[in-house]
């Protein structure tokens, strides 16, 4: 069995990779519809929020901030 520190380390590493990949993918897919791109940002954002509530480590908070900063680049414009 894995102890709590190992589980937290693996979850932190997984969420760091997922956050960076999803942020890059959502911003990079600029010619696609905005709904799947927004889902690509909001799902890891919600997971980071839950992990922050459970573990109370700032890593998950800052990963959420990264995803929040990407939302204006995905939000649809009126002219589009």
């Amino acid at each position: 069995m894995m102890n709590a520190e190992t589980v937290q380390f693996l979850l932190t590493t997984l969420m760091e990779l997922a956050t960076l990949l999803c942020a890059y993918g959502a911003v990079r897919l600029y010619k696609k519809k905005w709904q799947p791109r927004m889902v690509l940002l909001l799902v890891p954002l919600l997971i980071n929020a839950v992990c922050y509530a459970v573990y109370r480590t700032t890593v998950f908070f800052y990963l959420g901030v990264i995803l929040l900063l990407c939302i204006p680049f995905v939000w649809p414009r009126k002219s589009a």
Side-chain angles (χ1 to χ4, degrees):
M1 249 344 197
M2 291 189 286
N3 57 6
E5 290 84 16
T6 305
V7 171
Q8 184 178 354
F9 172 74
L10 291 174
L11 187 60
T12 302
T13 305
L14 176 72
M15 287 311 299
E16 286 174 351
L17 292 173
T19 297
L20 293 175
L21 289 173
C22 289
Y24 177 76
V27 173
R28 187 76 177 145
L29 297 172
Y30 59 92
K31 293 193 180 195
K32 304 292 182 192
K33 289 187 175 184
W34 67 272
Q35 290 97 345
R37 294 169 53 203
M38 192 65 73
V39 168
L40 198 59
L41 286 178
L42 292 181
V43 169
L45 178 63
L46 290 175
I47 295 171
N48 279 323
V50 169
C51 289
Y52 176 69
V54 170
Y55 291 110
R56 294 287 183 199
T57 59
T58 57
V59 174
F60 297 114
F61 175 77
Y62 289 127
L63 292 174
V65 169
I66 290 171
L67 292 169
L68 282 174
L69 289 174
C70 293
I71 288 178
F73 297 101
V74 175
W75 198 263
R77 295 186 313 250
K78 290 183 180 181
S79 63

